[in-house]
Amino acid sequence: MKIVITNWSGLTERHIDELKKLGDVEAYTDTSNENYPERLAGADVAVIDCYLTPITKEFLETVPNLKYFTINSTGYDNVDVDAVREANIAASHVPSFSTGSVAELAIGLMFATVRKIPVGDADFRGGFYETDPGTPEMEKYQGFNLQGKTLGIVGLGNIGTRIAEIGKGIGMNVIAYNRSEKQISGVTMVSLEVLMKESDVVIVALAVTNETKGIISKDLIGAMKKTGVIASIANMALFDQEALVEALNSGAIAGAGLDTAGEAFVNVPNTVLTPHIGYNTKESIENMADIIVQNIEAYAAGKPINVI
């Protein structure tokens, strides 16, 4: 069979050699919406970055020979699952490849936002080297201790569960909301309304679906403590983003740390912004590539795994 890797996806020479045992392999690093029909012509199997090349009905119509693909991500909100099913194509994702790294970034965003680390870093580089407890300047950098505070986690999947473990290790009181009931030692399940009202820090780790889009509504953001901080490693489609920007600009909440924010947040005060780097550690990239190869090997053996 012909296997086409549309973009790098962490695959090393070792991974390519494993795939060559299954068929002919073509590997690219720059496939886009413009050139994918040419790249995938004749491909039986493909590794696709669905965030660079969304898997739509129109996409599938241009690759009539494709029998199976694996994406290089856990989330598949850019895959039209119904269209894939109708095209009778098998498809997989790479679950849990970056659970630890994403959870740790969420905690990092919490620390950076609560303790004003980026503000201090920028001011230090500008020549402001020290605050004194007796000066007005110290208020600009004042945060709060996390030990003993309440951490509210929205979404208790693998990542949310790991965030809860770390939060408990810090000494935080952990509460959580999940769409289905879960029992995790040391974590109190509450409604989303109660979570937003009672948490000192809210971390959003929920998958985006048609049902969860906009779930963090204007009313829920408005219910947060004025001293509350929100952090998210999730898709910003979960938020009423206009309401979040308004709350941050007005000081209705104290800050936000966001890994996937759009341009609307660039000039918003009290924010820590990163360009979707939660997954990006050496270990996670290795995991991703390993799972991609395992997915293709399983498909070739007639027993697909990690099926979307």
Side-chain angles (χ1 to χ4, degrees):
M1 62 182 175
K2 181 179 179 181
I3 303 169
V4 175
I5 301 161
T6 62
N7 290 89
W8 171 61
S9 301
L11 295 160
T12 64
E13 186 175 341
R14 171 177 67 83
H15 296 105
I16 300 296
D17 287 343
E18 290 296 314
L19 293 177
K20 284 181 178 178
K21 297 175 183 177
L22 304 175
D24 296 327
V25 178
E26 293 181 5
Y28 303 95
T29 60
D30 61 348
T31 302
S32 65
N33 273 325
E34 286 69 42
N35 59 21
Y36 75 78
E38 175 187 346
R39 298 279 173 84
L40 291 174
D44 301 294
V45 171
V47 179
I48 300 174
D49 186 327
C50 64
Y51 293 97
L52 294 177
T53 311
I55 311 299
T56 62
K57 182 177 181 180
E58 292 72 24
F59 169 91
L60 294 171
E61 289 172 349
T62 67
V63 290
N65 294 317
L66 192 65
K67 302 175 182 64
Y68 171 82
F69 68 86
T70 176
I71 58 174
N72 64 350
S73 58
T74 299
Y76 49 88
D77 42 294
N78 273 10
V79 177
D80 185 332
V81 177
D82 291 335
V84 172
R85 189 179 295 114
E86 290 172 8
N88 198 29
I89 294 174
S92 299
H93 67 143
V94 285
S96 304
F97 79 97
S98 60
T99 296
S101 61
V102 175
E104 288 170 12
L105 183 74
I107 295 297
L109 289 169
M110 174 178 70
F111 273 114
T113 307
V114 167
R115 294 306 308 274
K116 316 292 180 65
I117 292 173
V119 177
D121 179 86
D123 287 355
F124 186 92
R125 294 175 192 277
F128 187 76
Y129 298 130
E130 186 175 3
T131 64
D132 183 275
T135 61
E137 290 87 354
M138 54 84 74
E139 295 183 11
K140 178 180 180 181
Y141 308 101
Q142 189 175 82
F144 56 82
N145 287 7
L146 290 167
Q147 185 177 18
K149 297 299 192 298
T150 297
L151 169 62
I153 303 170
V154 182
L156 274 183
N158 292 332
I159 293 170
T161 299
R162 180 59 183 145
I163 292 170
E165 292 172 351
I166 301 172
K168 288 188 293 179
I170 295 168
M172 301 186 77
N173 168 44
V174 181
I175 62 176
Y177 163 80
N178 200 65
R179 289 188 299 155
S180 58
E181 187 65 25
K182 287 204 172 183
Q183 298 294 329
I184 298 176
S185 177
V187 177
T188 302
M189 302 302 298
V190 297
S191 69
L192 189 53
E193 290 76 11
V194 169
L195 183 146
M196 299 296 286
K197 183 178 180 179
E198 294 188 356
S199 297
D200 297 291
V201 178
V202 174
I203 295 183
V204 181
L206 192 64
V208 64
T209 66
N210 289 333
E211 290 74 30
T212 60
K213 285 180 180 177
I215 193 170
I216 310 299
S217 65
K218 180 176 182 177
D219 287 345
L220 288 175
I221 294 168
M224 290 180 64
K225 297 178 180 180
K226 186 179 178 68
T227 55
V229 163
I230 194 162
S232 175
I233 41 74
N235 192 306
M236 290 302 293
L238 296 169
F239 293 84
D240 181 331
Q241 296 184 57
E242 184 176 340
L244 183 56
V245 168
E246 180 182 342
L248 290 162
N249 278 328
S250 67
I253 63 175
L258 309 171
D259 187 38
T260 59
E263 291 184 14
F265 290 87
V266 170
N267 295 314
V268 176
N270 303 322
T271 54
V272 180
L273 309 176
T274 52
H276 192 195
I277 62 172
Y279 70 93
N280 198 1
T281 64
K282 179 178 182 293
E283 293 83 357
S284 290
I285 298 301
E286 290 175 350
N287 288 341
M288 176 175 67
D290 288 344
I291 296 171
I292 286 171
V293 172
Q294 292 164 12
N295 284 348
I296 296 174
E297 289 175 336
Y299 168 76
K303 298 178 180 179
I305 59 174
N306 301 320
V307 174
I308 296 174

